[in-house]
């Protein structure tokens, strides 16, 4: 359904503060949660904001599925670490490199593929990335040496790495601000469910199949996704002209201003209606080529992305993802398969990936709370006379701030004292439940706070978090085995996680002041000069 077009800047950034938006709705305006729609869509039916809900949700589904496949293929083979060690005659820490090094490639791919999708469009990069990912997957299934498997793993990880940036970019392209928290939540669910990859690889192992089958199954799903993406993921890159400002009204000339505004809007509406282009045909929508944006610098986009490292909210996203993946995710994936096959548990090797069931439970329990941050932000916006502040969604993190570290403590103590296996499961579920909220809300907060050149922010987010998780996971297995489960997992890991989690209070209390301060720096001026139309909401 087409959305009513508004021609004023009523809902634009309030007082030029990034992350602050006026969402007060005027009489006759289309609203959601009692607030005006933002960003303001154009009258063009090719504007992604005007696309039907079914199309938008199919695009979101394709992005989410790509994220699930990319992450499940990345972490799924962790079940086979002991098998790889025996088959290739290497130690388990070197075998764990088959997860760690692809993880690094997964993050660094954004440095190339994100500037590329800015240059040539989202659609061609997504289609090519899925295709190249599938080639890497099938190559991994045929590998007979450690080097061959490592090479294939790095290839499929590199090209699937853009699945971390594309969903955020496309959500920003096709959805209104009041929808983004929930839609990013669905993407985060898919991303997090990728951590259940070891469960599926474990089931295949339990059924008597070799490790090769896992890659065959991933390849089959990659082929199906490529077809879906080809038919449903239309190019979302769109240059939306900024709406024209309405005249300023005072008490003495209010009536005259209203009349002048009405006449201006009617005139604008007539002129725009006459120049509205027709909707692209279905065959035009299927074109795999979106054209080159000559105004977008490829290499400068790479370089400028590193400036976001000094933006506090962006750095918080990097540390949050890096710590939860590197400390929690990898610890669970490496430690559980080793502990559960030894005394006093003696589970068969084929069941060593079943900790992923706890991950599934944790995320499933978080699903009913998917819209929580949007609803909290909408409620606080209404109380704030329609002024939306980026920090209004952060209150949702308070329960997760405590539950995630508690789960990490439970897992570490269970491993140290060989407690009942349910301790592992409960610890994983609690940590992953909290991780879901930190993944979703910190990302949504960063996107809400600084929207100029969003894609450049996504580059450094993905590169940074994968670099941190790689550094933490590189020798984490040796460190834990040498130092002790309780000291490392329940001690050092929890300490770092608690410090990162408590940063939420910094942004809740001083987030707006931080945004105001950064908006007056050289960094803000740099990105204001290079801001891409349509990427600033």
């Amino acid at each position: 359904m087409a959305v009513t077009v508004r021609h004023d800047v009523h809902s634009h950034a309030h007082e030029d503060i990034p992350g602050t938006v006026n969402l007060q709705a005027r009489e006759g305006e289309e609203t959601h949660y009692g607030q005006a729609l933002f960003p303001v869509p154009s009258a063009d039916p090719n504007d992604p904001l005007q696309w039907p809900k079914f199309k938008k949700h199919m695009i979101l589904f394709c992005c989410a599925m790509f994220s699930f496949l990319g992450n499940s293929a990345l972490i799924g083979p962790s079940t086979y670490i002991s098998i790889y060690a025996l088959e290739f005659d290497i130690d388990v820490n070197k075998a764990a490199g088959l997860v760690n090094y692809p993880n690094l490639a997964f993050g660094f791919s954004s440095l190339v593929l994100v500037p590329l999708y800015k240059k040539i469009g989202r659609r061609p990069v997504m289609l090519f990335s899925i295709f190249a990912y599938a080639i890497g997957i099938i190559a991994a299934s045929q590998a007979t040496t450690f080097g061959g498997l490592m090479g294939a793993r790095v290839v499929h990880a590199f090209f699937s790495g853009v699945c971390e940036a594309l969903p955020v970019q496309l959500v920003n392209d096709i959805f209104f601000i009041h929808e983004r928290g929930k839609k990013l939540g669905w993407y985060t669910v898919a991303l997090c469910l990728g951590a259940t990859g070891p469960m599926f690889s474990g089931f295949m192992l339990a059924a008597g199949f070799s490790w090769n089958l896992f890659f065959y199954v991933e390849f089959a799903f990659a082929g199906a996704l490529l077809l879906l993406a080809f038919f449903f993921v239309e190019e979302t890159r769109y240059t939306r002209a900024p709406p024209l400002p309405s005249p300023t009204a005072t008490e003495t000339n209010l009536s005259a201003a209203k009349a002048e505004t009405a006449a201006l809007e009617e005139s604008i509406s007539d002129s725009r209606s006459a120049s509205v282009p027709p909707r692209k045909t279905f065959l035009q929508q299927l074109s795999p080529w979106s054209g080159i944006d000559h105004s977008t610098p490829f290499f400068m986009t790479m370089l400028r992305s590193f400036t976001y490292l000094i933006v506090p909210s962006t750095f918080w996203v990097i540390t949050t993802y890096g710590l939860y993946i590197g400390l929690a995710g990898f610890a669970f994936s490496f430690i559980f398969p080793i502990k559960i096959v030894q005394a006093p548990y003696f589970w068969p090797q084929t069941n060593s990936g079943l900790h992923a069931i706890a991950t599934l439970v944790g995320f499933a329990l978080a699903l009913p709370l998917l819209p929580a941050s949007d609803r909290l932000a909408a409620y606080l916006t209404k109380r704030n006379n329609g002024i939306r502040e980026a920090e209004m969604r952060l209150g949702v993190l308070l329960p997760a701030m405590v539950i995630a570290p508690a789960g990490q403590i439970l897992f570490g103590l269970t491993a140290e004292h060989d407690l009942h296996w349910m301790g592992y499961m409960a610890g994983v579920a609690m940590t992953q439940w909290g991780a879901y909220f930190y993944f979703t809300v910190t990302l949504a907060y960063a996107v809400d706070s600084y929207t100029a050149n969003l894609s450049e922010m996504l580059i450094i987010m993905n590169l940074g978090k994968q670099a941190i998780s790689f550094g933490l996971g590189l020798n984490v297995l040796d460190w834990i085995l040498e130092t002790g489960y309780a000291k490392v997992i329940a001690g050092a890991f929890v300490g770092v996680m608690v410090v990162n989690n408590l940063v939420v209070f910094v942004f809740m209390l001083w987030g707006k002041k931080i945004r105001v301060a950064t908006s007056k720096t050289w960094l803000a001026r740099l990105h204001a000069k290079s801001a891409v139309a349509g990427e600033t909401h």
Side-chain angles (χ1 to χ4, degrees), residues 122-452:
R122 285 63 151 152
R123 177 174 168 82
V125 170
M126 182 173 184
L127 293 178
F128 177 75
S129 296
I130 297 173
F131 175 77
Y133 157 77
I135 295 299
I137 285 290
I138 200 65
S141 72
Q142 301 302 305
T144 57
T145 64
F146 175 77
L149 181 58
M150 177 68 81
R153 292 271 294 151
V154 168
V155 168
H156 80 68
F158 181 87
F159 284 101
S160 62
V162 75
C163 74
E164 299 275 275
L166 270 175
V168 183
Q169 182 70 62
L170 296 185
V171 164
N172 193 71
D173 289 345
I174 67 179
F175 290 107
F176 295 99
I177 192 172
H178 70 267
E179 301 173 300
R180 292 176 186 167
K182 184 176 181 180
K183 305 309 178 185
L184 285 175
W186 283 113
Y187 146 68
T188 306
V189 167
L191 182 153
C192 294
L193 287 179
T196 62
M199 177 179 68
F200 301 114
S201 59
F203 285 155
M204 294 174 198
L205 201 60
F209 297 103
S210 70
W211 57 264
N212 309 78
L213 180 64
F214 176 79
F215 294 106
Y216 290 141
V217 173
E218 287 275 351
F219 178 75
F221 278 102
L225 176 61
L226 184 59
L227 287 175
L228 280 177
F230 179 78
F231 285 107
F232 288 104
V233 181
E234 184 179 350
E235 178 57 59
T236 65
R237 184 179 63 186
Y238 183 83
T239 302
R240 189 175 299 111
L244 298 178
S246 57
T248 303
T250 62
E251 292 185 2
T252 57
N253 66 357
L254 182 59
S255 298
K258 284 184 176 179
E260 184 179 350
T261 301
L264 178 62
E265 289 182 347
E266 183 177 356
S267 173
I268 293 172
S269 180
D270 291 341
S271 63
R272 291 190 177 183
S273 297
S275 61
V276 170
R279 182 72 170 103
K280 290 180 181 178
T281 65
F282 183 64
L283 288 178
Q284 288 175 324
Q285 295 172 34
L286 293 183
S287 173
W289 184 246
S290 303
I292 299 175
D293 182 357
H294 295 285
S295 65
T296 300
F298 183 82
F299 293 105
M300 187 55 68
T301 298
M302 290 183 182
L303 296 175
R304 259 199 323 254
S305 67
F306 287 91
T307 63
Y308 274 103
L309 280 172
I310 60 176
V311 174
S313 61
T314 303
F315 191 75
W316 190 32
V317 174
I318 292 172
T319 58
T320 295
Y321 274 77
L323 293 177
Y324 274 95
I325 294 172
L327 295 186
F330 282 1
F332 297 156
S333 297
F334 293 163
I335 296 303
F336 183 85
I338 293 175
K339 287 290 295 183
I340 207 67
V341 298
Q342 299 174 354
Y345 311 106
F346 295 115
W347 284 22
Q349 180 73 43
T350 53
N351 290 338
S352 62
L354 293 184
H355 64 285
I357 294 177
T359 296
L360 194 61
V361 170
F363 296 144
L365 292 175
L367 277 178
L369 301 173
L370 201 60
S373 70
D374 280 339
R375 291 188 177 275
L376 175 61
Y379 171 74
L380 295 177
T381 300
K382 189 174 181 180
R383 290 187 58 184
N384 197 36
N385 297 318
I387 306 299
R388 165 73 66 90
E389 302 289 355
E391 291 75 25
M392 288 178 174
R393 65 172 76 247
L394 293 180
V396 173
L397 291 179
L398 297 181
M401 177 185 69
V402 176
I403 292 175
Q408 193 84 340
I409 292 173
L410 180 58
F411 185 93
L413 292 179
T414 300
E416 179 72 21
H417 300 290
D418 293 326
L419 304 179
H420 193 276
W421 59 265
M422 277 300 297
Y424 296 113
M425 297 298 187
V428 172
M430 291 167 65
T431 303
Q432 301 291 34
W433 184 89
Y436 165 80
F437 288 100
Y438 266 87
F439 286 160
T440 303
V441 177
T442 58
L443 180 59
Y445 174 61
V447 171
D448 285 351
S449 297
Y450 303 97
T451 56

